[in-house]
Amino acid sequence: MAEPYPQDAELLDVLTRTGEKTGVSKPRGLVHRDGDYHRAVHVWIYAESTRELLLQRRADCKESWPGQWDISSAGHISAGDSSLATARRELYEELGISLPKDAFELIFVFLQECTINNGKYINNEYNDVYLVTTLVPIPLEAFTLQETEVSSVKYIHIDEYKDLLAKGDEEFVPYDVEGQYGQLFTIIEQRYKENMESRSLALQKQLSQYAPLKLDLELTGLSEADKEALLYILKASMVIDDIFYEQVWYGNSALRDWLKEHSNSSYLDQLKWMYYSINKGPWSCLDENTAFLTTADSAVKLLRDSTKPVSGWKGIEYRVAFPVVKPPGASFYPPDMDKMEFKLWKNTLSSSEQKAATGYFSVIRRHGDSLPLTTSHNINQLESEKPLKSDDLFIVPFSQEYSSSLAKAAELLRKASELSDSPSLKKLLKTKADAFLSNDYYESDLAWMELDSKLDVTIGPYETYEDALFGYKATFESFVGIRDDIATSQVKLFGDHLQDLERNLPLDDMYKSESVVAAPIRVIQLLYNAGDVKGPQTVAFNLPNDERIVNEHGTSMVLLKNVSEAKFNNILKPIADVCIKEEQKEYIDFESFYTHTICHECCHGIGPHTIVLPSGEQSTVRMELQEVHSALEEAKADIVGLWALKFLIDEGLLPKTLVRSMYVSFLAGCFRSIRFGLEEAHGKGQALQFNWLYEKNAFLFHSDETFSVDFAKIEAAVESLSREILTIQAKGDKAAAILLLQKYANLTQPLRIALGKLEEVEVPVDIAPIFGAANKILDMSS
């Protein structure tokens, strides 16, 4: 029979030994009696000017470590509560300090396993360790201490505190500074041992991975009316850029403004700003999203009313914190929300609410994260005030979350619509402006597919790569270009044969669609881009991703020809010179590279999208594969695109001379994409393909560390991988997708050798476009 619990008992979630929730909650006293694993938070306040940590003396009445000096603030995470909300609340209740969420940096998770009080108190605790960095120490008289928890506070130099812990001084709660908890000191010490010369060299090396390239177009063929409209479209694109910065991480806009403002302070600050601008965040896209900045580089904010007032003191100046590990959920979800919490919450929703929660155009927020800052007049009400429940998740549409920016962008697009003399462009701009305010993008996406204008515009929320938690949420982007009419007419062949490709896919017939709509293809010369265009630059895109439109109307494709040419000349050819066996280098040509790019984008539109699960329930590939969908979909488009080229050649629709060049150009292209990093969908998908084809001996590695294609084996290997991926998608088999990626999407030894050689000769990884014509238009208007 279950043990009865008092109604007012504080319940804690019981965890497994490895930290997962069991679904059981128990009173705190019983958790420590029974040695159950549970969660808590540690919050450290660090003053960077004096290199001091704030310590609190635990109240004498505490059950554990009474009267000893300990963490600035700490507490258990109650059942149903979140980590970050608990950290904020504990700091508020124990010390009278109310800080916003961007002050808290989660630096590591510490598992503490110990027994005290003669075996009566067993502490098996997962601690989320947070760091709050202030410029100078907070005056001690600014704190309001919770007498039942804290008897006093003091600052201590970080080195002195570390030495005292190492010696086992009994006045201090013990932590093993040589073990897990030593990370606290290591992290702080490393980020303030800044050697400007070494950091500058490191950033210079990272910047050298991008070849700056001016894409300076003449506005040939644009009417005077569309030239006038262009200015407002470019301005709207800049607003879209602002939204994307917000979507990456909730403190990103403040960091951007700070780095830009200080970019002229030193050469190092200039390099920080330059590399940040390419990545649009503090994590390097080409280095598995490793942080190239720390919170010590971050923006400074001033809070005037976050503590009890102190005469002559202006308030807390703190660093906007960002996690060392890039948040997988970007800013689409609460920063401390995990998959299980989302799943449990989603199951409580109606079907329409579930659709909104997992839809492209919404974010998930937590009421507890919006706790107001305290002010001087209510700081003494700490004991009586109770914060909102932190587990109360809710859905916010993009139109509300980014309302101010979207209203501004909508106004600019309406002005552009009024000026343009292209009927289809006028319609696109007007419907997109409406969509920004209504959050319904259906009509505007149809208008985009029907666009027939010399001035080509793609603007809005589309790709879901940034949502690495589920792959649900779309990021805002903008591409503005001038249509290349001759190149557009040349690629019509691919759209015309989309149904033939679907019908002949290496996939069981039961999974094939009989109603594939030919994808219109537009080739443009890129004039400007903004929003989700960080890091490696795309050469094409196939949109929209919304399954409703894909099923009813298909997709449209846009190819960025000048970007493709720039990548081929500046990256692919140098890669081939280093990595491809001498006798096959002659097969590297732009036509093969460009034609496969077209086929790649076409193949996003074929194969499984809406699927029927074994249960008979209808779903989509994206919904079933979640966070692994993007990598597998990119691999599918690549490998099926290669299969499709061979099919079209066999049908006599493309020249046979393309056969060898397309395979060798694809091989060279593998190294190009894998250099984007295996955290990125294209790089991960490309590693999967390379390793599969290498295992099948379709790609060969030679003693001189070059590679070649075995033309006798490549066709069968391409078909087998195409079948494997398409079948996984058709079944919505996430477990099989994970296994496939785990086995093949790795940096194997042949890949390491190839990438090492490319780094040694300093072949750029990608281009960093400079939009001369667009910037000139914007500068003239300012």
Side-chain angles (χ1 to χ4, degrees):
M1 185 174 176
E3 204 171 337
Y5 302 148
Q7 279 192 338
D8 60 348
E10 180 187 1
L11 299 180
L12 304 183
D13 287 321
V14 175
L15 309 180
T16 66
R17 171 67 178 79
T18 53
E20 289 83 26
K21 286 185 179 180
T22 62
V24 175
S25 300
K26 289 170 62 174
R28 181 169 70 174
L30 297 185
V31 164
H32 284 291
R33 182 198 71 183
D34 300 338
D36 295 311
Y37 287 87
H38 58 284
R39 292 180 70 206
V41 296
H42 289 185
V43 182
W44 287 99
I45 296 177
Y46 176 74
E48 64 179 20
S49 63
T50 59
R51 299 191 62 219
E52 291 179 315
L53 288 165
L54 178 76
L55 270 63
Q56 64 161 262
R57 186 187 288 275
R58 296 171 66 82
D60 291 334
C61 59
K62 295 289 289 182
E63 187 177 6
S64 57
W65 298 284
Q68 291 180 289
W69 290 101
D70 198 7
I71 308 149
S72 308
S73 174
H76 290 91
I77 301 176
S78 299
D81 270 4
S82 74
S83 171
L84 181 57
T86 301
R88 294 181 69 200
R89 184 173 63 241
E90 291 298 328
L91 195 62
Y92 177 77
E93 290 179 347
E94 292 185 356
L95 303 182
I97 306 295
S98 187
L99 295 176
K101 61 185 181 181
D102 68 1
F104 294 81
E105 177 186 2
L106 179 61
I107 51 176
F108 63 94
V109 178
F110 165 61
L111 174 57
Q112 185 177 31
E113 297 173 296
C114 64
T115 303
I116 58 174
N117 299 348
N118 297 317
K120 294 179 182 178
Y121 191 95
I122 306 171
N123 197 48
N124 291 327
E125 193 168 78
Y126 278 93
N127 297 288
D128 292 345
V129 182
Y130 289 92
L131 184 66
V132 172
T133 301
T134 63
L135 294 194
V136 298
I138 301 169
L140 297 184
E141 56 268 37
F143 295 103
T144 303
L145 306 185
Q146 187 179 20
E147 293 180 3
T148 56
E149 298 285 337
V150 184
S151 61
S152 61
V153 292
K154 70 175 181 179
Y155 278 98
I156 185 169
H157 194 278
I158 187 171
D159 294 337
E160 181 186 353
Y161 180 52
K162 184 179 179 182
D163 287 344
L164 290 168
L165 289 179
K167 292 173 184 174
D169 192 307
E170 293 185 357
E171 283 195 46
F172 298 83
V173 174
Y175 294 102
D176 183 7
V177 295
E178 299 300 323
Q180 259 189 315
Y181 219 82
Q183 293 176 81
L184 170 68
F185 304 96
T186 302
I187 289 169
I188 294 174
E189 287 164 3
Q190 285 181 345
R191 68 177 48 170
Y192 290 98
K193 281 183 179 178
E194 179 171 293
N195 180 311
M196 292 186 68
E197 185 177 352
S198 62
R199 283 202 71 188
S200 295
L201 288 171
L203 282 169
Q204 281 176 335
K205 185 176 180 181
Q206 288 179 304
L207 276 165
S208 71
Q209 297 175 106
Y210 292 90
L213 199 71
K214 201 166 186 179
L215 299 180
D216 206 356
L217 298 183
E218 295 295 327
L219 305 183
T220 308
L222 289 189
S223 67
E224 289 304 314
D226 279 353
K227 287 179 183 177
E228 290 183 37
L230 176 59
L231 170 61
Y232 293 99
I233 294 167
L234 293 175
K235 286 185 174 181
S237 299
M238 294 173 70
V239 178
I240 292 299
D241 209 45
D242 291 337
I243 297 175
F244 177 68
Y245 275 98
E246 288 184 52
Q247 292 184 303
V248 170
W249 160 62
Y250 59 78
N252 204 27
S253 296
L255 177 58
R256 175 195 60 183
D257 295 344
W258 173 270
L259 291 173
K260 185 177 181 180
E261 181 185 345
H262 292 79
S263 61
N264 292 324
S265 301
S266 70
Y267 179 56
L268 177 59
D269 288 312
Q270 182 184 359
L271 292 173
K272 288 178 188 177
W273 169 241
M274 289 170 65
Y275 199 54
Y276 174 88
S277 299
I278 287 174
N279 292 279
K280 298 198 172 186
W283 304 280
S284 175
C285 299
L286 296 180
D287 299 293
E288 313 295 336
N289 285 325
T290 301
F292 60 91
L293 300 174
T294 72
T295 294
D297 302 305
S298 194
V300 174
K301 286 188 177 180
L302 170 64
L303 295 175
R304 297 187 182 278
D305 299 314
S306 59
T307 69
K308 186 166 57 180
V310 174
S311 178
W313 181 58
K314 61 183 177 181
I316 296 176
E317 287 184 288
Y318 72 92
R319 294 280 186 186
V320 174
F322 62 85
V324 173
V325 178
K326 187 174 187 289
S331 68
F332 297 122
Y333 310 93
D336 54 352
M337 188 205 79
D338 58 25
K339 286 188 172 185
M340 180 57 72
E341 182 185 4
F342 182 86
K343 182 179 179 181
L344 293 172
W345 169 70
K346 191 186 82 167
N347 290 341
T348 68
L349 304 177
S350 66
S351 58
S352 62
E353 289 172 329
Q354 287 189 18
K355 190 175 180 181
T358 59
Y360 291 104
F361 313 126
S362 67
V363 297
I364 309 301
R365 294 291 177 251
R366 192 195 301 284
H367 286 301
D369 287 345
S370 57
L371 277 172
L373 294 177
T374 57
T375 55
S376 56
H377 74 271
N378 68 9
I379 197 73
N380 294 320
Q381 299 175 10
L382 291 175
E383 295 295 329
S384 61
E385 291 183 357
K386 193 67 179 174
L388 295 167
K389 282 291 288 179
S390 63
D391 61 341
D392 192 4
L393 301 177
F394 61 102
I395 305 162
V396 183
F398 281 180
S399 54
Q400 181 180 332
E401 179 72 8
Y402 314 116
S403 58
S404 176
S405 294
L406 287 174
K408 185 177 177 182
E411 182 183 356
L412 290 164
L413 291 186
R414 286 202 178 96
K415 286 181 179 178
S417 177
E418 291 166 4
L419 290 168
S420 174
D421 59 2
S422 166
S424 64
L425 181 59
K426 289 174 77 73
K427 182 180 180 182
L428 168 65
L429 298 173
K430 183 184 181 304
T431 55
K432 192 64 69 174
D434 293 342
F436 285 168
L437 304 182
S438 69
N439 217 53
D440 183 353
Y441 287 86
Y442 188 87
E443 292 299 326
S444 68
D445 280 344
L446 289 183
W448 177 80
M449 293 179 70
E450 296 164 359
L451 183 63
D452 182 18
S453 167
K454 190 70 175 175
L455 181 56
D456 198 282
V457 179
T458 301
I459 190 167
Y462 286 108
E463 303 292 3
T464 61
Y465 303 125
E466 203 67 20
D467 179 3
L469 203 60
F470 294 109
Y472 292 155
K473 306 303 177 185
T475 47
F476 281 83
E477 63 186 17
S478 177
F479 293 86
V480 183
I482 298 174
R483 188 175 66 192
D484 186 324
D485 293 319
I486 295 173
T488 297
S489 66
Q490 291 172 340
V491 299
K492 189 174 182 294
L493 161 76
F494 297 93
D496 289 347
H497 290 84
L498 213 55
Q499 185 65 65
D500 290 339
L501 292 172
E502 173 80 17
R503 194 176 296 115
N504 289 279
L505 281 173
L507 175 69
D508 289 351
D509 288 342
M510 63 182 289
Y511 298 126
K512 295 176 184 176
S513 172
E514 293 299 323
S515 57
V516 173
V517 180
I521 304 173
R522 311 196 295 262
V523 181
I524 68 170
Q525 303 291 339
L526 183 65
L527 179 70
Y528 188 77
N529 66 16
D532 190 0
V533 293
K534 64 185 176 65
Q537 297 294 298
T538 188
V539 295
F541 47 86
N542 191 301
L543 298 173
N545 289 318
D546 190 332
E547 287 89 358
R548 292 180 306 164
I549 297 178
V550 173
N551 292 329
E552 296 170 15
H553 304 280
T555 59
S556 282
M557 184 193 315
V558 176
L559 303 176
L560 316 179
K561 192 168 185 182
N562 54 343
V563 177
S564 290
E565 289 171 335
K567 292 200 180 205
F568 179 80
N569 292 324
N570 291 274
I571 298 163
L572 197 72
K573 283 174 70 176
I575 286 175
D577 287 341
V578 173
C579 293
I580 301 301
K581 195 168 180 62
E582 187 64 38
E583 54 264 34
Q584 290 195 0
K585 287 180 183 178
E586 64 179 294
Y587 296 120
I588 302 290
D589 62 35
F590 177 68
E591 182 187 0
S592 302
F593 173 70
Y594 183 59
T595 306
H596 180 256
T597 299
I598 299 170
C599 243
H600 170 105
E601 296 304 328
C602 281
C603 288
H604 278 304
I606 61 175
H609 287 95
T610 297
I611 58 176
V612 178
L613 302 177
S615 63
E617 180 186 356
Q618 191 175 78
S619 185
T620 66
V621 177
R622 181 181 71 91
M623 289 293 294
E624 295 308 312
L625 300 191
Q626 297 181 338
E627 76 278 8
V628 296
H629 170 258
S630 291
L632 206 67
E633 176 61 23
E634 291 304 325
K636 178 208 86 173
D638 251 352
I639 201 71
V640 175
L642 205 55
W643 167 87
L645 282 179
K646 184 61 168 62
F647 174 82
L648 294 172
I649 291 168
D650 290 344
E651 292 292 301
L653 297 168
L654 288 173
K656 291 188 181 297
T657 53
L658 201 61
V659 173
R660 294 200 167 195
S661 61
M662 73 182 191
Y663 288 132
V664 180
S665 294
F666 178 80
L667 170 57
C670 285
F671 305 120
R672 184 183 71 86
S673 296
I674 291 167
R675 296 176 83 204
F676 297 159
L678 300 193
E679 290 298 313
E680 195 270 343
H682 298 80
K684 186 179 290 186
Q686 198 77 68
L688 158 62
Q689 295 167 81
F690 175 89
N691 289 323
W692 178 286
L693 297 176
Y694 181 76
E695 182 183 84
K696 305 298 182 189
N697 295 315
F699 288 162
L700 303 175
F701 184 47
H702 303 285
S703 58
D704 63 353
E705 297 186 344
T706 62
F707 296 80
S708 66
V709 175
D710 186 329
F711 297 116
K713 295 178 180 177
I714 185 72
E715 186 177 347
V718 166
E719 183 169 327
S720 66
L721 180 55
S722 297
R723 181 180 297 277
E724 181 77 14
I725 294 175
L726 289 166
T727 302
I728 288 172
Q729 290 184 321
K731 293 179 177 179
D733 191 343
K734 184 179 179 182
I738 291 172
L739 285 173
L740 186 69
L741 289 164
Q742 284 177 343
K743 182 175 181 181
Y744 291 103
N746 301 303
L747 207 56
T748 53
Q749 187 61 17
L751 286 175
R752 289 181 189 278
I753 291 170
L755 300 190
K757 288 173 66 179
L758 293 173
E759 186 174 350
E760 191 176 314
V761 299
E762 297 185 344
V763 175
V765 177
D766 210 70
I767 63 167
I770 301 166
F771 301 108
N775 291 331
K776 185 177 179 181
I777 293 168
L778 289 167
D779 289 343
M780 289 174 64
S781 70
S782 59

